[in-house]
Amino acid sequence: MQSLSFLDFAVIAAYLIGTLGLGLYIGSKIKTGSDYFLAGRKLPWWAIGMSLVATDIGAVDIVGTGGAAHQHGLAVANFEWIGCVPAMIIAAFVFIPFFWRSGVTTIPEYMERRFNVAVRSALAICWIIFMACNLGIMLLASAKMMHVHLGMTVNACIYLTAFLVGIYTISGGLAAVVYTDMIQCVIMIGGCLLVLVLGIIDLGGIENFQAEIKKQEQIQNAKQATAVTDQQAEAEPATAGDVSHTSLILPADADSPFPWTGIFFGLALILSPAYWIGNQAIVQRSLGARSEFDAKAAYVWGALLKNLVPVVVAVPGLIAFVKFPELTDGDQAFPELISHLLPTGLKGLFLAAFLAALMSSIDSYLNSASTIVTNDFYKRFYRRDASDESLLKIGRVVTFLLVLWAIGFSFFLMTRSEGIYTIFQTLMAFFQGPAFAILLTGLLWKRATGVAAFIGFIVGVCFSITLFTLNQESVYTALGMEPLFQISEPFLYFSIWAFVVSFSLIVIISLLTKREPDEKIEGLVFSLKPRKETA
């Protein structure tokens, strides 16, 4: 580990002060809940698009994707290419303008208009749980990065980051998030690109880099062969060589969380569209767009930028695979590269940008969680006539409480052996499949009913959690069963089967129950005339 110099610390301090100052300045202009949650619906497309990318490539992606690439190879890049770009383009021209025209503040709010309050509440609860847990994941990812460079304990890094984030997020709103994200987008892509270039140069160029990967794979395959019986060792070379760290498409029986079946069916068809079309933290930016054109153009612009992300985030994980093959914790791959490759000054700039991007990502989820709490619970059930000023106060209180929760959950995650990226994706897999099922049927099929949507969603979530539970070694061993899935960390398959169960139940129950009247769902289904803009 290389310690930071005075110049590095000076750069970190200056950058953080500047970023915090910008966020606090914008936040000081926030007077109402509408300003806090939707930026007064005045955001331009170019700012929203860069904010989408900055939020999505925060701490979890930099640390987690690099770690996953170090352990499992380049197949994790599919989470950006296949898992983002196609869904973003479809969302831009179909779903996002539809949500913007409907004038809703949250996705759960749309669910009540389309179905009923039970569906709205169930989805809102799932999103709040996910966002709250994701905040802990982000804090832990940041702490692992800073621990390597600052020489502080992981616990101390968690407290420090939470303190800085708390100051920024309690004051800031969606406008502050979006405009500071613009800066972070440029710095993060540029910083990761710098690590990529310096790493390849350090390894002697692209050809030597590729050769070193093959060499390291041979070494690891040899180690695996000596660890099994003679009979297994004879069969090992025939299969181990088929899967390379540079392979984008992995066989269905690969010992990896990213087989092609899971990538295509679980990611491309379910998790990806569910994330980019139904994730409140993502969609909320476009809901704050100043026009329908801006809402659509933001997603297209973000999709173009997204093509760069796998190169600058996943490939450094392969560089770490060559340089630090002894690492047992893949989440330490990117921090080690920063420590060994970046010179004085640039190291401090990158770490400052990392912290600032982390803060923007956390701010995004805090802002969205606060939006759901205030609009889908406080205003919906407790005080329907709440003023914008009171909603602003409630949102800031919720932000503070979520920061405290994030600290506690990050400590819990430290006791887990799974990588950060896997934990994040597993949490999403619990409810994203069922959420996508009710979103898809609600938008595209006017025959779908509220009763069917609620039952399908609840059963789907329970089914996904059941699959996860039965696939735990302690559980299936105690029950005398074989594991349900042969691959490690099969979160993609959880989403596939949960979606199938939810979708099937919604269709069957809808056909058996009374359909919703057209006047209720007018403007909420594609086959019916949309309502006029309400904002």
Side-chain angles (χ1 to χ4, degrees), residues 50-66 80 134 137-139 141-142 145 181 184-185 188-189 192 275-276 282 285 306 309 313 334 350 353-365 420-421 424:
M50 297 179 75
S51 179
L52 289 172
V53 175
T55 297
D56 194 54
I57 61 168
V60 173
D61 285 87
I62 293 175
V63 175
T65 304
E80 301 296 334
N134 196 29
I137 294 173
M138 291 177 178
L139 274 184
S142 173
M145 172 73 84
D181 276 357
Q184 313 320 324
C185 182
M188 292 307 301
I189 291 180
C192 292
Y275 179 83
W276 289 101
I282 297 298
R285 285 157 170 68
K306 263 294 183 180
V309 175
V313 175
F334 214 106
F350 183 87
F354 177 89
L355 269 179
L358 169 82
M359 293 163 64
S360 294
S361 297
I362 292 182
D363 187 286
S364 300
Y365 277 89
I420 288 176
Y421 199 76
F424 174 78

Side-chain angles (χ1 to χ4, degrees), residues 95 98-99 110-111 114-115 119 277 432-457 498-511 515-516 521 524-528:
F95 296 97
F98 183 83
F99 286 135
Y110 165 81
M111 288 301 173
R114 175 60 182 89
F115 293 120
V119 178
I277 297 169
Q432 282 285 70
F436 185 52
I438 61 175
L439 185 64
L440 199 64
T441 53
L443 278 168
L444 302 180
W445 191 36
K446 65 180 181 180
R447 186 65 180 81
T449 66
V451 173
F454 180 73
I455 295 176
F457 180 74
F499 173 82
V500 170
V501 169
S502 292
F503 187 85
S504 300
L505 283 175
I506 293 172
V507 171
I508 294 173
I509 298 175
S510 291
L511 295 175
R515 60 169 294 176
E516 308 285 354
I521 61 176
L524 301 174
V525 183
F526 279 111
S527 59
L528 299 176

Side-chain angles (χ1 to χ4, degrees), residues 111-133:
M111 288 301 173
E112 180 178 6
R113 292 190 188 182
R114 175 60 182 89
F115 293 120
N116 54 47
V117 67
V119 178
R120 175 180 186 172
S121 300
L123 183 61
I125 289 173
C126 284
W127 271 118
I128 289 174
I129 293 174
F130 168 73
M131 290 179 179
C133 294

Side-chain angles (χ1 to χ4, degrees), residues 228-503:
V228 296
T229 62
D230 292 340
Q231 181 179 0
Q232 292 172 323
E234 293 176 0
E236 186 72 20
T239 57
D242 293 336
V243 179
S244 169
H245 253 59
T246 57
S247 298
L248 280 174
I249 301 177
L250 301 182
D253 59 349
D255 185 20
S256 163
F258 317 116
W260 78 265
T261 48
I263 291 292
F264 179 72
F265 294 105
L267 177 62
L269 298 184
I270 299 173
L271 278 183
S272 173
Y275 179 83
W276 289 101
I277 297 169
N279 187 333
Q280 177 64 30
I282 297 298
V283 177
Q284 188 168 333
R285 285 157 170 68
S286 290
L287 296 179
R290 61 190 179 189
S291 69
E292 182 179 336
F293 169 80
D294 286 275
K296 292 189 292 187
Y299 262 64
V300 176
W301 171 228
L304 292 175
L305 293 175
K306 263 294 183 180
N307 283 285
L308 296 174
V309 175
V311 177
V312 300
V313 175
V315 176
L318 299 183
I319 296 175
F321 171 70
V322 173
K323 290 182 64 66
F324 315 113
E326 72 283 353
L327 282 179
T328 56
D329 182 3
D331 291 334
Q332 290 297 328
F334 214 106
E336 288 291 341
L337 284 178
I338 303 301
S339 179
H340 286 79
L341 294 177
L342 293 186
T344 299
L346 288 179
K347 187 187 300 182
L349 179 62
F350 183 87
L351 292 177
F354 177 89
L355 269 179
L358 169 82
M359 293 163 64
S360 294
S361 297
I362 292 182
D363 187 286
S364 300
Y365 277 89
L366 287 175
N367 184 260
S368 296
S370 297
T371 304
I372 289 178
V373 170
T374 54
N375 286 274
D376 296 310
F377 291 103
Y378 178 79
K379 185 176 181 180
R380 175 62 180 82
F381 296 106
Y382 182 70
R383 184 170 294 177
R384 285 181 172 270
D385 59 346
S387 65
D388 271 351
E389 289 74 14
S390 65
L391 292 179
L392 175 59
K393 293 178 182 178
I394 292 297
R396 284 175 169 163
V397 170
V398 171
T399 298
F400 175 74
L401 295 177
L402 285 172
V403 170
L404 296 181
W405 156 267
I407 294 174
F409 191 68
S410 64
F411 287 146
F412 166 75
L413 291 177
M414 291 172 61
T415 65
R416 305 291 296 178
S417 60
E418 297 92 341
I420 288 176
Y421 199 76
T422 297
I423 297 174
F424 174 78
Q425 295 296 340
T426 300
L427 284 173
M428 289 187 67
F430 283 162
F431 75 97
Q432 282 285 70
F436 185 52
I438 61 175
L439 185 64
L440 199 64
T441 53
L443 278 168
L444 302 180
W445 191 36
K446 65 180 181 180
R447 186 65 180 81
T449 66
V451 173
F454 180 73
I455 295 176
F457 180 74
I458 296 298
V459 173
V461 172
C462 293
F463 185 77
S464 181
I465 295 175
T466 301
L467 290 180
F468 171 81
T469 303
L470 292 177
N471 205 61
Q472 301 303 301
E473 184 176 1
S474 59
V475 176
Y476 65 70
T477 301
L479 296 176
M481 299 169 50
E482 292 293 324
L484 296 179
F485 305 96
Q486 298 301 315
I487 68 169
S488 61
E489 302 158 357
F491 51 83
L492 291 172
Y493 290 107
F494 299 158
S495 64
I496 295 173
W497 289 110
F499 173 82
V500 170
V501 169
S502 292
F503 187 85

